Amino acid sequence: MTKQLPPGQFETEKWPILHEGDVYQFDESTWEFRLFGDVKEEVSLSYRQVMELPKTISTIDMHCVTTWSKFDTTFKGIAFREFLRFVELEPDVKYVKIYGYLNGDRFGYSANLPLEALMGDDALFVYRWKDKHHDWQDISPKHGYPLRFIPPASFYLWKGAKWASGIRFMKKDEPGYWEQRGYSMTANPFKEERFANPAGTFK
Ligand SMILES: Nc1nc2c(c(=O)[nH]1)N[C@H]1C(S)=C(S)[C@@H](COP(=O)(O)O)O[C@H]1N2
Ligand SMILES: [Mo]
């Protein structure tokens, strides 16, 4: 899917910063990554347990609903699928919500996604990146340090929680932070699924 500009988007070589609220300050002693919801047993992973997981490097295009697209950023991180080893899913789990920090609440931000779309190398919890203008470096605090989700390019970037804090497994789809505020549940940039109501506008 790389280097395809979705309708209504323009290409930027910069990596803009966009989020609600303040920037999370990483503290390893309180940091956890929770796997919860429709699972046999819920799990809380430490930073060390997460960082010991196998790593994946992939190049992923980002499409922000505010109309910028950035091609070919190479990320290093932990593929979504690596977390499935820790939980036994209940039958009929088809969706997830990926959580992140918002204004003092480690689980204040969330975005819903279909489980089946997240099994590849392009669904990645990232902590390092590079592009043609930048050598390998850590994800900065403003971009989501110490761990942030990057969704496959077939989803707008609001599905990529910064300061990621966990995955909730769900039998039924449920709106996340922006989806509760009128944005699309499915959010495919190539179908220009920006809003729940196609005639909607930014507030
Ligand atoms: N925790 C958290 N994650 C978030 C957001 C947010 O407000 N809080 N904003 C989302 C939106 S709308 C976008 S476009 C991307 C922007 O990521 P970037 O600032 O790294 O480009 O982060 C997403 N992840
Ligand atoms: Mo966004």
Side-chain angles (χ1 to χ4, degrees), residues 18-19 63-66 68 109 156-159 178 183:
L18 262 109
H19 56 259
H63 306 300
C64 175
V65 74
T66 62
W68 59 265
Y109 187 85
Y156 284 114
L157 191 60
W158 86 77
K159 300 284 186 182
W178 284 116
Y183 285 79

Side-chain angles (χ1 to χ4, degrees), residues 15-21 62 64-65 68 100-102 109 142-144 148 157-163 177-178:
W15 186 4
I17 291 165
L18 262 109
H19 56 259
E20 298 272 288
M62 294 184 278
C64 175
V65 74
W68 59 265
Y101 174 88
L102 181 80
Y109 187 85
K142 287 178 179 174
H143 282 301
R148 74 83 57 88
L157 191 60
W158 86 77
K159 300 284 186 182
K162 302 192 200 184
W163 314 294
Y177 182 84
W178 284 116

